[in-house]
PDB file of all heavy atoms in Angstrom:
ATOM      1  N   GLU A 611    -103.289 -41.321   6.606  1.00 89.00           N
ATOM      2  CA  GLU A 611    -102.685 -41.734   5.316  1.00 89.00           C
ATOM      3  C   GLU A 611    -101.518 -42.757   5.452  1.00 89.00           C
ATOM      4  O   GLU A 611    -101.210 -43.539   4.490  1.00 89.00           O
ATOM      5  CB  GLU A 611    -102.192 -40.560   4.560  1.00 89.00           C
ATOM      6  CG  GLU A 611    -103.104 -39.746   3.949  1.00 89.00           C
ATOM      7  CD  GLU A 611    -102.496 -38.598   2.965  1.00 89.00           C
ATOM      8  OE1 GLU A 611    -102.089 -39.079   1.878  1.00 89.00           O
ATOM      9  OE2 GLU A 611    -102.492 -37.543   3.299  1.00 89.00           O
ATOM     10  N   TRP A 612    -100.898 -42.791   6.656  1.00 92.00           N
ATOM     11  CA  TRP A 612     -99.805 -43.779   6.955  1.00 92.00           C
ATOM     12  C   TRP A 612    -100.277 -45.105   7.285  1.00 92.00           C
ATOM     13  O   TRP A 612     -99.493 -46.008   7.472  1.00 92.00           O
ATOM     14  CB  TRP A 612     -98.968 -43.133   7.952  1.00 92.00           C
ATOM     15  CG  TRP A 612     -98.125 -42.013   7.567  1.00 92.00           C
ATOM     16  CD1 TRP A 612     -98.377 -40.718   7.741  1.00 92.00           C
ATOM     17  CD2 TRP A 612     -96.888 -42.150   6.734  1.00 92.00           C
ATOM     18  NE1 TRP A 612     -97.375 -39.899   7.313  1.00 92.00           N
ATOM     19  CE2 TRP A 612     -96.403 -40.716   6.599  1.00 92.00           C
ATOM     20  CE3 TRP A 612     -96.043 -43.180   6.263  1.00 92.00           C
ATOM     21  CZ2 TRP A 612     -95.338 -40.441   5.946  1.00 92.00           C
ATOM     22  CZ3 TRP A 612     -95.031 -42.744   5.582  1.00 92.00           C
ATOM     23  CH2 TRP A 612     -94.458 -41.417   5.317  1.00 92.00           C
ATOM     24  N   ASN A 613    -101.647 -45.323   7.279  1.00 92.00           N
ATOM     25  CA  ASN A 613    -102.101 -46.552   7.627  1.00 92.00           C
ATOM     26  C   ASN A 613    -102.081 -47.530   6.404  1.00 92.00           C
ATOM     27  O   ASN A 613    -102.487 -47.238   5.263  1.00 92.00           O
ATOM     28  CB  ASN A 613    -103.541 -46.505   8.114  1.00 92.00           C
ATOM     29  CG  ASN A 613    -104.103 -47.802   8.721  1.00 92.00           C
ATOM     30  OD1 ASN A 613    -103.723 -48.230   9.679  1.00 92.00           O
ATOM     31  ND2 ASN A 613    -105.089 -48.453   7.858  1.00 92.00           N
ATOM     32  N   GLY A 614    -101.282 -48.705   6.522  1.00 91.00           N
ATOM     33  CA  GLY A 614    -101.141 -49.624   5.403  1.00 91.00           C
ATOM     34  C   GLY A 614     -99.944 -50.449   5.505  1.00 91.00           C
ATOM     35  O   GLY A 614     -99.289 -50.555   6.516  1.00 91.00           O
ATOM     36  N   THR A 615     -99.622 -50.942   4.429  1.00 91.00           N
ATOM     37  CA  THR A 615     -98.362 -51.856   4.173  1.00 91.00           C
ATOM     38  C   THR A 615     -97.325 -51.085   3.435  1.00 91.00           C
ATOM     39  O   THR A 615     -97.564 -50.509   2.368  1.00 91.00           O
ATOM     40  CB  THR A 615     -98.764 -53.272   3.509  1.00 91.00           C
ATOM     41  OG1 THR A 615     -99.776 -53.787   4.278  1.00 91.00           O
ATOM     42  CG2 THR A 615     -97.584 -54.064   3.438  1.00 91.00           C
ATOM     43  N   TYR A 616     -96.154 -51.136   4.055  1.00 92.00           N
ATOM     44  CA  TYR A 616     -94.962 -50.458   3.426  1.00 92.00           C
ATOM     45  C   TYR A 616     -93.894 -51.453   3.028  1.00 92.00           C
ATOM     46  O   TYR A 616     -93.631 -52.475   3.739  1.00 92.00           O
ATOM     47  CB  TYR A 616     -94.379 -49.388   4.373  1.00 92.00           C
ATOM     48  CG  TYR A 616     -95.462 -48.254   4.535  1.00 92.00           C
ATOM     49  CD1 TYR A 616     -96.338 -48.393   5.518  1.00 92.00           C
ATOM     50  CD2 TYR A 616     -95.495 -47.172   3.714  1.00 92.00           C
ATOM     51  CE1 TYR A 616     -97.357 -47.441   5.702  1.00 92.00           C
ATOM     52  CE2 TYR A 616     -96.374 -46.230   3.924  1.00 92.00           C
ATOM     53  CZ  TYR A 616     -97.313 -46.240   4.800  1.00 92.00           C
ATOM     54  OH  TYR A 616     -98.276 -45.298   4.965  1.00 92.00           O
ATOM     55  N   ARG A 617     -93.197 -51.205   1.854  1.00 90.00           N
ATOM     56  CA  ARG A 617     -92.266 -52.072   1.362  1.00 90.00           C
ATOM     57  C   ARG A 617     -90.834 -51.385   1.404  1.00 90.00           C
ATOM     58  O   ARG A 617     -90.777 -50.231   0.853  1.00 90.00           O
ATOM     59  CB  ARG A 617     -92.658 -52.505  -0.063  1.00 90.00           C
ATOM     60  CG  ARG A 617     -93.972 -53.175  -0.065  1.00 90.00           C
ATOM     61  CD  ARG A 617     -94.102 -53.946  -1.410  1.00 90.00           C
ATOM     62  NE  ARG A 617     -94.186 -53.106  -2.544  1.00 90.00           N
ATOM     63  CZ  ARG A 617     -94.198 -53.347  -3.725  1.00 90.00           C
ATOM     64  NH1 ARG A 617     -94.262 -54.710  -4.068  1.00 90.00           N
ATOM     65  NH2 ARG A 617     -94.088 -52.537  -4.783  1.00 90.00           N
ATOM     66  N   CYS A 618     -89.902 -52.044   1.872  1.00 91.00           N
ATOM     67  CA  CYS A 618     -88.460 -51.466   1.782  1.00 91.00           C
ATOM     68  C   CYS A 618     -87.847 -52.314   0.641  1.00 91.00           C
ATOM     69  O   CYS A 618     -87.797 -53.613   0.588  1.00 91.00           O
ATOM     70  CB  CYS A 618     -87.740 -51.863   3.084  1.00 91.00           C
ATOM     71  SG  CYS A 618     -85.941 -51.571   3.040  1.00 91.00           S
ATOM     72  N   ILE A 619     -87.215 -51.491  -0.256  1.00 89.00           N
ATOM     73  CA  ILE A 619     -86.728 -52.171  -1.498  1.00 89.00           C
ATOM     74  C   ILE A 619     -85.236 -51.723  -1.782  1.00 89.00           C
ATOM     75  O   ILE A 619     -84.952 -50.587  -1.779  1.00 89.00           O
ATOM     76  CB  ILE A 619     -87.594 -51.762  -2.711  1.00 89.00           C
ATOM     77  CG1 ILE A 619     -89.012 -52.031  -2.520  1.00 89.00           C
ATOM     78  CG2 ILE A 619     -86.969 -52.291  -4.012  1.00 89.00           C
ATOM     79  CD1 ILE A 619     -89.924 -51.521  -3.667  1.00 89.00           C
ATOM     80  N   PHE A 620     -84.383 -52.802  -1.813  1.00 88.00           N
ATOM     81  CA  PHE A 620     -82.956 -52.543  -2.172  1.00 88.00           C
ATOM     82  C   PHE A 620     -82.947 -53.058  -3.608  1.00 88.00           C
ATOM     83  O   PHE A 620     -83.145 -54.221  -3.981  1.00 88.00           O
ATOM     84  CB  PHE A 620     -82.049 -53.320  -1.380  1.00 88.00           C
ATOM     85  CG  PHE A 620     -81.758 -52.740  -0.059  1.00 88.00           C
ATOM     86  CD1 PHE A 620     -82.723 -52.634   0.941  1.00 88.00           C
ATOM     87  CD2 PHE A 620     -80.527 -52.065   0.160  1.00 88.00           C
ATOM     88  CE1 PHE A 620     -82.401 -51.978   2.179  1.00 88.00           C
ATOM     89  CE2 PHE A 620     -80.257 -51.429   1.431  1.00 88.00           C
ATOM     90  CZ  PHE A 620     -81.203 -51.403   2.434  1.00 88.00           C
ATOM     91  N   ARG A 621     -82.265 -52.146  -4.514  1.00 85.00           N
ATOM     92  CA  ARG A 621     -82.089 -52.524  -5.915  1.00 85.00           C
ATOM     93  C   ARG A 621     -80.716 -52.497  -6.265  1.00 85.00           C
ATOM     94  O   ARG A 621     -79.909 -51.532  -5.796  1.00 85.00           O
ATOM     95  CB  ARG A 621     -82.872 -51.525  -6.767  1.00 85.00           C
ATOM     96  CG  ARG A 621     -82.741 -51.933  -8.328  1.00 85.00           C
ATOM     97  CD  ARG A 621     -83.356 -50.869  -9.185  1.00 85.00           C
ATOM     98  NE  ARG A 621     -82.628 -49.527  -9.139  1.00 85.00           N
ATOM     99  CZ  ARG A 621     -81.535 -49.318  -9.859  1.00 85.00           C
ATOM    100  NH1 ARG A 621     -81.065 -50.243 -10.648  1.00 85.00           N
ATOM    101  NH2 ARG A 621     -80.877 -48.149  -9.742  1.00 85.00           N
ATOM    102  N   TYR A 622     -80.225 -53.587  -6.955  1.00 79.00           N
ATOM    103  CA  TYR A 622     -78.824 -53.653  -7.491  1.00 79.00           C
ATOM    104  C   TYR A 622     -78.944 -54.096  -8.944  1.00 79.00           C
ATOM    105  O   TYR A 622     -79.452 -55.227  -9.256  1.00 79.00           O
ATOM    106  CB  TYR A 622     -77.932 -54.693  -6.697  1.00 79.00           C
ATOM    107  CG  TYR A 622     -76.578 -54.728  -7.280  1.00 79.00           C
ATOM    108  CD1 TYR A 622     -75.682 -53.710  -7.088  1.00 79.00           C
ATOM    109  CD2 TYR A 622     -76.202 -55.810  -8.079  1.00 79.00           C
ATOM    110  CE1 TYR A 622     -74.388 -53.712  -7.557  1.00 79.00           C
ATOM    111  CE2 TYR A 622     -74.813 -55.867  -8.589  1.00 79.00           C
ATOM    112  CZ  TYR A 622     -74.012 -54.796  -8.318  1.00 79.00           C
ATOM    113  OH  TYR A 622     -72.741 -54.908  -8.869  1.00 79.00           O
ATOM    114  N   LYS A 623     -78.649 -53.232  -9.887  1.00 75.00           N
ATOM    115  CA  LYS A 623     -78.968 -53.368 -11.236  1.00 75.00           C
ATOM    116  C   LYS A 623     -80.377 -53.794 -11.488  1.00 75.00           C
ATOM    117  O   LYS A 623     -81.272 -53.041 -11.179  1.00 75.00           O
ATOM    118  CB  LYS A 623     -77.958 -54.404 -11.776  1.00 75.00           C
ATOM    119  CG  LYS A 623     -76.450 -53.984 -11.717  1.00 75.00           C
ATOM    120  CD  LYS A 623     -75.570 -54.909 -12.482  1.00 75.00           C
ATOM    121  CE  LYS A 623     -74.029 -54.306 -12.476  1.00 75.00           C
ATOM    122  NZ  LYS A 623     -73.134 -55.248 -13.141  1.00 75.00           N
ATOM    123  N   SER A 624     -80.680 -54.985 -12.037  1.00 72.00           N
ATOM    124  CA  SER A 624     -81.947 -55.305 -12.310  1.00 72.00           C
ATOM    125  C   SER A 624     -82.578 -56.292 -11.135  1.00 72.00           C
ATOM    126  O   SER A 624     -83.682 -56.852 -11.405  1.00 72.00           O
ATOM    127  CB  SER A 624     -82.052 -56.012 -13.620  1.00 72.00           C
ATOM    128  OG  SER A 624     -81.266 -57.068 -13.645  1.00 72.00           O
ATOM    129  N   SER A 625     -81.785 -56.439 -10.045  1.00 75.00           N
ATOM    130  CA  SER A 625     -82.280 -57.331  -8.969  1.00 75.00           C
ATOM    131  C   SER A 625     -82.911 -56.509  -7.880  1.00 75.00           C
ATOM    132  O   SER A 625     -82.261 -55.452  -7.599  1.00 75.00           O
ATOM    133  CB  SER A 625     -81.052 -58.195  -8.586  1.00 75.00           C
ATOM    134  OG  SER A 625     -80.553 -58.987  -9.625  1.00 75.00           O
TER     135      SER A 625
END
Side-chain angles (χ1 to χ4, degrees):
E611 281 191 73
W612 288 98
N613 190 70
T615 301
Y616 292 88
R617 302 192 301 174
C618 171
I619 302 172
F620 277 76
R621 182 185 67 82
Y622 178 76
K623 293 187 177 179
S624 59
S625 299

